[in-house]
Amino acid sequence: MIETGYTPQSVEGRWYQAWLEAEAFRAEDTSSRPPFCIVIPPPNVTGSLHMGHALNSTLQDILVRWKRMEGSNTLWMPGTDHAGIATQNVVERVLAEKGKNREELGREKFVEEAKEWSKRYEKRILGQLKKLGASCDWDRTRFTFDEGLSKAVRQAFVRLYEDHLIYRGERLVNWCPRCDTALSDIEVQHEEVDGRLWHVRYVFEDKPDEALIVATTRPETILGDTAVAVHPEDERYQGAIGRKVLVPVVNRKIPVIADPFVSMEFGTGALKITPGHDFNDHEIGVRHELPIIKIFTSKGQLSPEFLVDNEGKPLESERAEKYLGEDHYKVRKLILKDLEELRLSAGEEPHRHSVGHCYRCQTAVEPFLTPQWFVATKQLAEPAIRAVEEGRTKIVPETWTKTYFEWMRNIKDWCISRQIWWGHQIPAWYCLDCNKGKWSRKGKAVDAQRKAVTETADGQYIFFQDAKAIVSLEDPTECPKCEAKNLVRDPDVLDTWFSSSLWPFSTLGWPEDTSALKTFYPTSVLVTAFDILFFWVARMMMMGLKFMGEVPFREVYIHALVRDPEGQKMSKSRGNVIDPVEIIDKQGADAFRFTLSSIAAQGRDIRISGERIEGYRHFCNKIWNAARFCLSHLGENPPDREAALLAVRKAKKGDSDSPVRPADHWILSCLHRTTRTVREALESYRFNEASSVLYQFMWHQFCDWYLEETKHRLADKKEGEHVRALLAEVLETSLRLLHPFMPFMTEELWQRLPKPPGGPSLLALAPYPEVDERFIDEEAERPMGLLIEAITGVRNIFGEMDIHPRKKFRLSAQLRGELGELGREVLEKEKEFFVAATNAEAFSYLEPGQAHPPVSATDTTSWGDFIVDLKGLLDFGAERERISKKLAAARKDLEAVQRRLDSPQFEERAPAEVVQETRARRDTLVELMARLEGNLARVTEWEKES
RNA sequence: GGGGCGUUAGCUCAGCGGUAGAGCGCUGUCCUCACACGGCAGAUGUCGCUGGUUCGAUUCCAGCACGCCCCACCA
């Protein structure tokens, strides 16, 4: 026997295994069925399933399960991302716990260690997706760092290089001193912080008692200044331009230059120029051919190289020497103190400004001058822009297209090299022989002495931008130019997002020309949150078009970010993390999925609360119990649903022999209307609407009314079979409708239904319900509507007057008009239900004009009066209040309607239909009010008489 | 500086030119044989403000206020 309450724990485990065994999620590489394909946004291997994954995966799974039931050759391609910096950080932390670090482990061993980790954690995150019900084709699972995908990366890199779309150059890039690597521009998160603006005196070389006052937020960079700039039209500084000032502490002689970039309004109007450590300064430096002095090491410590003058000759400064090797925050402190002592500080003020932080470790990033690899994006972006303009890829909701265009049209070259170990090592080699005598860079002074390939103290090589790289598909064994075997591979690895950008085709077998590619590329839709629109979506567009000549996906559905109930980002430090795995264990995957679907429509972020999930757990229980009710009546043999449906369609008015009742027409109309809405909603990614109509239908139409209506019919010999068939029809169809949203419970219940032989063995493989328009019929729904109106009205009398619902009473109906005639038919056909639902002891009709039984309560509906005779036990005051309330509501409505009708141009300009409706409504309200007033008067009269 | 989003019932949010909706919460009542994870009934909104378009605006347009986000990054 089926349990009285739904316990997800005892159901969910079973079915996932059954689906796997039946290979229900398998997609065919070649098939005559229409393809449908989604590639999963690969979660980071090190990650644990969080709310974002849960939402993202649920939405994908709903689409995929729906399409699979529709009969498409459906592929949901799973996999994980090796997540370069993030994983390296985690693995390093683990090593640190064991008292080790990556340097002592060495590159090869470290990478092996990280691979181990990835393997272990991949299982965890994929296992969690399975718990959620994700119906991926697991046999195809890929990893951005697996052999095949590494091949794709290599191919892509080489081809882009050969097409001059990848180049190497020494640029000022964003650098994370903690991760010790370059970052791309979008990996830097800018945040406003409260800082200070220090004013510092730069004395003139020729007149030490005069000084330029410069404002800076980063006094430590003073050590790298190679000029001071003022605006060319700034009257205050006309005499200064061309003269020299001394950099405080180190006394480097630097020129005062004029550049229009400088704002005369900000600070003192004099800007110190540190071309080695600031993006704007760097540009000015290039414009004026200033020397570039790097004062920090890659780890943010003061480097010994900074003690040079503008000609590159060594400088001496005792004060500055003591900063050597110090972290730049420490240097700031020290230099501020020294400025004070040297009487070179000229005040400070609070200053709010934005500072870039590493998106992986939140450390403040530094602009850092290093040789790096870049993708030239302008050319790649162009077709990606066009594809969206032309609608070859559609972004939903559309508002994001603007953001996409905005970014794509202003795209900057993409720094793809990272100075870490975990990732695809760049396939570039340098011939030590060829590059031996070569000098690097045109640069001035400081840099002029540098070799193109420089060996560092610890035996590593630095390859500057003039070093000639050998880039090839196969690892070269000798230099193609000089045939020397003295080759060294570039130590850098590629940005993780480089491999992710190939995901939609690399996972399908590219660069091989596979049948999977032919079948599934372009994929159908990409489902993702907006936070990786630039990181991932935009880049997949560029790479897909470049290598496949076609967009990677026809549609992009962008959903919101998940927040906690207070709208805060969920984070461990805030302690507000709702763990999806915990929810699944406690509330069940189905309730959780339904919750996510129901809130999916919200704008930029969605909040999730425990109460909401609990509400949908109750919904699961409701369905469970409705099914329990049906099952208890259904027995072993499948009823003849086709016959019952035919009977409903063929039912004729006045055929008293027919088992068909108004409720049957009504529920089938509702069912098919719901089906239609769900399908339309899914087509346009309106998940919340689909959930909402399913909820309304199951609970408030099927359970509240139809199940109740069938109760008295099931025992009937003549009707029982018909009703059972319809219950089976509606329940089974509902389960299929609901399956993509709550796969586990629906499968469990579906399996328990008596099934005709020869059908699918799993609900997951059953067809999705079709809309049969013949059943959607407002006319056929109306009779049940009248009945519901009457029942609710009568119940209202009891509810409002605080009469115990078990109180015996006689009920009579006084019908009127055309609707009354229709209503009378319904009442006749649904008499037992009407009586049971209102709890009346006896029911009879009053002829028109016949007096109401004295001292009774009346509910006036659109089609007649329903009179509750409590044999005089009426609370006059309560009844008057009840009627007055309705009267007031009707009056308010009437006023609004009348106002509209009174406005002079309404009849002239409004559509005839609207005018007619409005008039009809006025008439109805007028009549209703008259009757209510009549009821009121009657009560008053009775009160007087009593 | 540029761009975007939001402002609707106590809370969280749907709706978006023609009678204001849901869930949760709340009030009353009922352990009626599927479900108390339930039934029944009920209360609650100048749909942020000001103008405009329209016969009609919560819905479209403009401005304003408040809140939020993204991008650019004047030291």
Side-chain angles (χ1 to χ4, degrees):
Chain A
M1 188 55 204
I2 179 164
E3 307 83 78
T4 53
Y6 174 55
T7 47
Q9 297 79 4
S10 64
V11 166
E12 291 182 358
R14 279 211 294 288
W15 292 113
Y16 202 87
Q17 203 48 43
W19 294 325
L20 290 183
E21 276 161 23
E23 298 191 315
F25 307 152
R26 214 187 68 212
E28 310 286 347
D29 276 353
T30 49
S31 164
S32 54
R33 288 137 70 214
F36 183 83
C37 177
I38 299 182
V39 293
I40 201 169
N44 289 355
V45 260
T46 51
S48 177
L49 190 80
H50 64 234
M51 277 294 165
H53 296 130
L55 172 68
N56 179 251
S57 305
T58 296
L59 300 185
Q60 288 173 83
D61 198 46
I62 289 170
L63 293 173
V64 158
R65 284 182 182 268
W66 164 51
K67 285 291 179 181
R68 190 178 294 123
M69 291 174 80
E70 288 264 86
S72 293
N73 178 25
T74 302
L75 169 60
W76 187 9
M77 169 65 75
T80 50
D81 196 298
H82 70 282
I85 300 173
T87 304
Q88 172 145 338
N89 285 350
V90 172
V91 175
E92 279 191 275
R93 213 174 306 138
V94 172
L95 285 177
E97 277 164 23
K98 296 186 210 159
K100 290 193 256 179
N101 64 47
R102 76 174 150 116
E103 277 76 19
E104 66 191 51
L105 213 63
R107 181 166 187 151
E108 221 167 288
K109 278 213 166 137
F110 178 84
V111 169
E112 225 158 85
E113 184 89 4
K115 264 193 183 142
E116 285 286 305
W117 263 89
S118 302
K119 243 183 240 158
R120 202 166 336 142
Y121 278 85
E122 179 193 45
K123 262 193 209 128
R124 179 174 76 168
I125 185 105
L126 297 183
Q128 289 168 332
L129 283 174
K130 288 173 188 170
K131 279 195 97 165
L132 188 67
S135 61
C136 304
D137 188 352
W138 297 108
D139 292 341
R140 296 178 190 255
T141 305
R142 302 304 296 270
F143 177 49
T144 52
F145 201 26
D146 69 24
E147 204 180 309
L149 266 56
S150 298
K151 228 168 157 185
V153 165
R154 179 87 172 243
Q155 177 85 20
F157 186 95
V158 173
R159 276 183 54 185
L160 287 170
Y161 181 80
E162 283 169 356
D163 293 347
H164 306 289
L165 291 170
I166 281 183
Y167 65 92
R168 198 158 180 279
E170 189 172 26
R171 301 284 139 92
L172 203 55
V173 293
N174 293 291
W175 189 274
C176 174
R178 203 221 59 86
C179 301
D180 201 12
T181 179
L183 299 171
S184 68
D185 295 337
I186 54 176
E187 285 169 310
V188 177
Q189 295 175 330
H190 292 270
E191 266 162 59
E192 293 265 300
V193 294
D194 287 311
R196 305 198 80 71
L197 192 60
W198 286 274
H199 294 250
V200 181
R201 299 161 59 85
Y202 283 53
V203 299
F204 284 98
E205 180 208 5
D206 48 359
K207 270 197 172 167
D209 49 336
E210 269 180 39
L212 267 184
I213 297 179
V214 159
T216 180
T217 54
R218 305 186 57 204
E220 66 276 17
T221 62
I222 285 173
L223 303 172
D225 285 351
T226 54
V228 169
V230 297
H231 195 277
E233 281 154 29
D234 196 328
E235 311 233 321
R236 293 169 292 181
Y237 300 120
Q238 288 305 314
I241 298 169
R243 289 166 69 191
K244 296 221 161 144
V245 292
L246 296 175
V247 175
V249 184
V250 289
N251 293 325
R252 180 182 304 127
K253 265 186 271 177
I254 58 171
V256 178
I257 58 171
D259 194 287
F261 171 83
V262 182
S263 153
M264 291 189 270
E265 287 75 41
F266 190 91
T268 59
L271 171 65
K272 65 187 229 31
I273 304 297
T274 320
H277 295 280
D278 182 279
F279 288 104
N280 292 315
D281 292 8
H282 188 77
E283 272 181 38
I284 294 173
V286 169
R287 263 202 296 278
H288 295 266
E289 296 195 324
L290 296 172
I292 298 166
I293 300 177
K294 277 166 77 168
I295 64 168
F296 291 115
T297 66
S298 70
K299 291 185 174 154
Q301 291 149 346
L302 196 67
S303 141
E305 289 169 32
F306 85 95
L307 268 178
V308 288
D309 68 11
N310 265 18
E311 265 64 55
K313 291 188 196 116
L315 275 175
E316 274 182 32
S317 165
E318 258 178 59
R319 275 182 194 273
E321 269 163 30
K322 69 173 188 275
Y323 309 158
L324 278 176
E326 296 292 354
D327 176 86
H328 65 266
Y329 287 108
K330 182 78 184 290
V331 175
R332 175 181 296 183
K333 261 194 193 159
L334 293 170
I335 202 167
L336 283 170
K337 199 166 150 242
D338 280 340
L339 288 173
E340 204 68 47
E341 284 173 15
L342 293 165
R343 298 171 169 269
L344 291 175
S345 53
E348 58 178 87
E349 53 186 297
H351 180 63
R352 200 168 164 74
H353 62 134
S354 90
V355 174
H357 299 268
C358 170
Y359 85 136
R360 284 305 180 207
C361 73
Q362 316 313 322
T363 304
V365 301
E366 294 286 328
F368 194 60
L369 189 67
T370 43
Q372 301 289 345
W373 293 88
F374 294 87
V375 172
T377 44
K378 278 261 168 339
Q379 280 183 63
L380 292 166
E382 226 170 83
I385 292 166
R386 224 176 309 125
V388 173
E389 282 171 345
E390 289 167 3
R392 276 180 287 137
T393 291
K394 204 177 113 202
I395 301 179
V396 182
E398 213 202 326
T399 141
W400 287 105
T401 51
K402 205 170 172 182
T403 310
Y404 173 85
F405 285 142
E406 199 72 25
W407 190 72
M408 278 297 210
R409 286 173 182 149
N410 299 301
I411 197 164
K412 285 194 271 171
D413 283 359
W414 172 17
C415 175
I416 49 169
S417 43
R418 298 289 176 274
Q419 287 64 49
I420 57 172
W421 287 347
W422 178 238
H424 303 277
Q425 192 169 353
I426 289 175
W429 284 258
Y430 304 91
C431 172
L432 290 184
D433 290 9
C434 286
N435 287 303
K436 206 176 212 165
K438 223 167 165 178
W439 294 94
S440 177
R441 199 182 152 87
K442 64 277 167 179
K444 285 192 52 170
V446 184
D447 286 312
Q449 308 154 19
R450 202 174 61 188
K451 296 221 175 129
V453 175
T454 306
E455 196 171 348
T456 61
D458 54 350
Q460 307 286 312
Y461 292 95
I462 299 174
F463 306 101
F464 290 102
Q465 71 174 10
D466 300 277
K468 173 90 182 114
I470 305 157
V471 171
S472 85
L473 273 180
E474 303 299 327
D475 291 8
T477 50
E478 55 175 48
C479 175
K481 219 170 169 187
C482 73
E483 293 178 12
K485 301 204 158 118
N486 215 0
L487 303 181
V488 180
R489 186 166 186 177
D490 194 310
D492 290 356
V493 303
L494 286 166
D495 182 0
T496 285
W497 296 101
F498 187 86
S499 56
S500 332
S501 71
L502 315 174
W503 188 250
F505 47 97
S506 62
T507 51
L508 292 170
W510 191 87
E512 306 312 322
D513 187 18
T514 63
S515 48
L517 268 177
K518 278 199 195 81
T519 302
F520 294 113
Y521 194 95
T523 66
S524 312
V525 56
L526 183 85
V527 179
T528 186
F530 62 82
D531 58 340
I532 49 174
L533 184 60
F534 306 146
F535 279 102
W536 196 44
V537 180
R539 286 161 176 175
M540 282 190 287
M541 287 293 291
M542 293 192 280
M543 294 303 186
L545 285 159
K546 167 74 184 164
F547 294 111
M548 296 298 296
E550 182 52 285
V551 293
F553 20 73
R554 305 251 90 117
E555 292 187 279
V556 181
Y557 174 65
I558 295 181
H559 63 249
L561 254 28
V562 185
R563 300 265 148 101
D564 80 350
E566 270 75 53
Q568 301 261 347
K569 214 171 171 178
M570 289 196 189
S571 73
K572 279 189 193 124
S573 56
R574 284 197 182 90
N576 59 351
V577 180
I578 303 184
D579 179 5
V581 178
E582 221 171 90
I583 291 177
I584 292 171
D585 287 340
K586 271 205 216 122
Q587 317 265 37
D590 289 332
F592 182 41
R593 289 169 60 113
F594 205 83
T595 309
L596 291 168
S597 165
S598 72
I599 58 181
Q602 294 161 27
R604 292 201 161 214
D605 39 65
I606 61 186
R607 299 166 190 216
I608 190 155
S609 70
E611 289 97 74
R612 186 99 190 217
I613 303 167
E614 200 166 318
Y616 289 115
R617 199 191 78 217
H618 295 171
F619 179 48
C620 290
N621 194 60
K622 187 78 179 175
I623 298 171
W624 180 266
N625 277 290
R628 203 157 71 89
F629 171 80
C630 297
L631 285 168
S632 70
H633 289 96
L634 279 176
E636 298 281 302
N637 299 321
D640 192 344
R641 287 156 56 180
E642 283 309 313
L645 289 176
L646 193 67
V648 174
R649 280 207 294 118
K650 293 274 154 75
K652 287 203 184 78
K653 256 182 122 181
D655 178 0
S656 56
D657 252 8
S658 166
V660 179
R661 303 213 191 188
D664 300 342
H665 286 114
W666 179 79
I667 194 67
L668 288 174
S669 188
C670 291
L671 174 66
H672 284 274
R673 194 197 307 286
T674 301
T675 305
R676 188 166 65 188
T677 310
V678 169
R679 297 184 77 113
E680 284 169 358
L682 286 176
E683 292 288 353
S684 46
Y685 309 104
R686 298 194 314 271
F687 297 94
N688 66 314
E689 193 182 340
S691 317
S692 161
V693 294
L694 283 167
Y695 186 95
Q696 291 299 321
F697 173 75
M698 284 310 286
W699 201 312
H700 299 305
Q701 294 176 327
F702 185 54
C703 292
D704 285 355
W705 291 102
Y706 193 66
L707 284 193
E708 294 302 325
E709 196 274 345
T710 59
K711 281 180 179 170
H712 69 277
R713 297 164 75 189
L714 283 162
D716 189 286
K717 276 218 172 80
K718 197 177 75 187
E719 277 184 57
E721 204 47 36
H722 169 76
V723 175
R724 269 187 286 281
L726 284 186
L727 280 179
E729 166 71 16
V730 177
L731 176 64
E732 197 270 348
T733 309
S734 305
L735 292 176
R736 279 187 287 134
L737 271 179
L738 281 161
H739 182 258
F741 301 84
M742 24 178 76
F744 294 103
M745 190 186 71
T746 50
E747 183 77 70
E748 170 77 20
L749 292 172
W750 191 82
Q751 294 291 342
R752 291 176 187 245
L753 283 171
K755 290 189 297 277
S761 60
L762 286 168
L763 174 54
L765 296 169
Y768 206 66
E770 302 275 352
V771 183
D772 188 339
E773 295 285 348
R774 289 173 303 184
F775 285 107
I776 305 180
D777 182 351
E778 267 183 52
E779 283 300 305
E781 276 181 50
R782 180 166 304 154
M784 185 67 179
L786 295 180
L787 197 66
I788 290 172
E789 189 189 358
I791 292 170
T792 310
V794 173
R795 283 171 176 171
N796 168 272
I797 292 174
F798 288 83
E800 285 294 89
M801 295 177 67
D802 281 351
I803 299 173
H804 194 283
R806 288 276 186 73
K807 189 92 194 158
K808 302 271 184 203
F809 69 98
R810 293 209 329 264
L811 179 62
S812 44
Q814 190 170 41
L815 308 180
R816 61 175 178 277
E818 257 176 73
L819 275 182
E821 273 172 47
L822 184 59
R824 176 135 192 166
E825 266 177 60
V826 187
L827 282 178
E828 284 308 303
K829 284 191 185 145
E830 297 280 8
K831 200 177 237 159
E832 303 98 314
F833 173 54
F834 182 63
V835 168
T838 53
N839 207 30
E841 184 186 23
F843 173 64
S844 59
Y845 294 99
L846 285 184
E847 292 310 312
Q850 210 177 328
H852 290 193
V855 199
S856 55
T858 300
D859 181 71
T860 297
T861 70
S862 61
W863 53 295
D865 286 353
F866 290 83
I867 302 115
V868 171
D869 182 4
L870 286 161
K871 298 203 178 78
L873 280 177
L874 186 73
D875 178 335
F876 294 109
E879 176 64 353
R880 248 202 314 269
E881 199 183 315
R882 195 181 69 86
I883 300 171
S884 303
K885 217 159 62 182
K886 289 187 195 268
L887 201 52
R891 187 173 296 128
K892 204 179 137 202
D893 283 357
L894 182 62
E895 272 165 19
V897 169
Q898 194 60 49
R899 210 174 308 131
R900 191 168 339 148
L901 284 167
D902 287 346
S903 96
Q905 284 154 314
F906 176 68
E907 286 182 40
E908 229 172 277
R909 308 226 176 146
E913 217 180 87
V914 173
V915 175
Q916 216 168 5
E917 266 172 38
T918 312
R919 280 199 192 128
R921 184 162 160 69
R922 192 230 355 240
D923 296 345
T924 313
L925 283 168
V926 167
E927 197 194 324
L928 176 67
M929 283 182 66
R931 291 189 184 278
L932 288 172
E933 270 156 11
N935 293 355
L936 205 55
R938 197 158 38 220
V939 173
T940 308
E941 218 157 282
W942 285 333
E943 191 180 17
K944 268 190 224 150
E945 283 166 14
S946 71

